[in-house]
Every structure is written in structure tokens, then in C-alpha cells.
Amino acid sequence: MTYARGIALIACFLGSAVVTPLFAQTCFGTPSRGGVSADYGRVSFGNTVGATGTLAGSRTAYSVGVHSVTLGSKSKGYGGDGRFAVRIGAGRVSICPAVGLGFGQSTWNASTADLKSTTLTGRAGIGFGLEQSVVGKLSIIPFVAVQYAFAAVKYDITGSDVDTQTTGDTLSGAGVQFGLLARYHIVYVGFIGDRDLTASSPSAVRGILGVTFPMSIKKD
């Protein structure tokens, strides 16, 4: 899937909704009215480009995203993910348990063989977020989420000088996602970081540029 097509599908999905209030998205780095965004960032040993769309009611939020990853001249990949979050409580700070599912595929090209990995990842966690008005139409959105992920990975090795081999593995661990956005009217910018709880530095940091809705979408 090309990114232009992915962004178009997200826009069509969001544009088909009925307008009403949203509050669940701030836990995971989207303004309270939802929106469509593009991002560019750094991951371990490479960079990533993607697009995300978010749609929700006053208590639930649905997000879908696509991305590509480049890890040097001989390694590329792509993937997608979805997330469903539910807002609990009625305070100014949104508290949102969430579950998600992601898919990714990467290929490493060597002189004599190619290695392709295919990954399916399930996630569950809880996020905390707030959209705080600063002045006029300007607001800020800090958020943090803790998630546990379980991934199943398949590896395929092919090449003219090697026998085709297929192996598999599973991975699991906890991580934290955090960020800060600034929204002015319908435009928002900011950053989102991802960090494994056992690591000393973030594994990914992305800059975000998006457009939110002047009104809200779809009542629960």
C-alpha cells in the first residue's frame, strides 16, 4: 500500500463520521476532537515516515496508522497498527485503558542472501492525557502511556547460495509512550517518543504535524 493511498483511506474513514464530542484521544497523543496526522522520526539505526487517523466518541477512541522504516541502504520495512481505547472516570485528566494490534515486515538485503522478518504484535496498556487551554485557541496536550507488548516473529532466509530457511521467535516486554502536542485552532504539532522500560534512551522519537476537526465526531 502506498502512503498516498493509506492517507486517503484514513481521510475517507474519518470524513464519513457524524459530528459530536470526543474526549478519549488525549491519552495517546491526539487532540480531544481526533484528527489526521503525518509523522517523521528516528528509530534505532534508521528513520520512519507514517500517517495516523483517530476517530472516537465521548468514551471510546479508534486509531489506525501506516508507516515505513528505512534502516540504511540495504534494509527497508513497512507496517500498520490499530488501537481501541476506552476513557474511564470524569476528571480533567483522561484515563484510558487500551488494546492494539500491529503488523510489520522488514527485509535485509545482503550480497548472498535476503532476510525477511514478519511480525504480529499485540499490545495492552493504559494512558493518561490532558488537553489544557493556554490562551485563545491555543492548547497543549501532554500524555504518557504504559503498555505491554507480545510479538510473534517469522524469519525467512532466501538466496542463490543458501538453502531457504524459515524460523520463528516470540518477544515480549513493557514500554512507555510519551509526548507533548500544541494545538492552535485545527492545526497541531508536537512529538511522540517510545521507550522500552529496560532501556536508557528512547527507541523511537517522531515529530507530528496534524489537522484536527473544528467540531467533534461520532457520539458513543
Side-chain angles (χ1 to χ4, degrees):
M1 178 186 292
T2 65
Y3 291 109
R5 183 181 297 178
I7 294 172
L9 288 174
I10 292 170
C12 290
F13 171 65
L14 297 172
S16 65
V18 181
V19 174
T20 61
L22 300 176
F23 304 100
Q25 296 93 319
T26 55
C27 298
F28 293 94
T30 306
S32 58
R33 297 188 298 243
V36 180
S37 65
D39 60 82
Y40 175 83
R42 297 289 299 176
V43 298
S44 301
F45 310 110
N47 59 71
T48 179
V49 179
T52 301
T54 301
L55 171 67
S58 61
R59 293 288 176 183
T60 58
Y62 308 84
S63 294
V64 60
V66 293
H67 64 269
S68 71
V69 180
T70 302
L71 306 175
S73 61
K74 295 184 178 182
S75 179
K76 300 181 183 299
Y78 66 91
D81 57 80
R83 183 182 62 241
F84 171 69
V86 178
R87 183 178 187 262
I88 59 177
R92 292 180 62 246
V93 176
S94 295
I95 303 172
C96 311
V99 294
L101 186 65
F103 171 83
Q105 191 170 89
S106 298
T107 302
W108 289 264
N109 303 118
S111 57
T112 60
D114 295 333
L115 171 63
K116 181 172 71 174
S117 68
T118 303
T119 306
L120 186 65
T121 305
R123 296 182 179 88
I126 186 167
F128 305 85
L130 168 70
E131 182 161 6
Q132 175 63 51
S133 177
V134 177
V135 59
K137 296 180 179 180
L138 177 65
S139 62
I140 59 172
I141 307 166
F143 78 97
V144 62
V146 178
Q147 304 177 91
Y148 182 84
F150 179 85
V153 189
K154 185 183 76 165
Y155 300 100
D156 296 298
I157 302 175
T158 58
S160 57
D161 297 331
V162 299
D163 295 331
T164 299
Q165 301 179 42
T166 298
T167 61
D169 198 0
T170 58
L171 305 168
S172 62
V176 60
Q177 187 176 78
F178 57 92
L180 178 65
L181 304 177
R183 178 182 66 83
Y184 181 78
H185 192 32
I186 65 169
V187 177
Y188 62 96
V189 298
F191 78 93
I192 294 177
D194 293 277
R195 177 179 172 180
D196 189 300
L197 288 181
T198 62
S200 60
S201 60
S203 59
V205 178
R206 293 170 287 144
I208 306 293
L209 174 62
V211 178
T212 187
F213 303 102
M215 299 179 69
S216 304
I217 302 180
K218 189 182 175 184
K219 190 174 181 179
D220 289 331

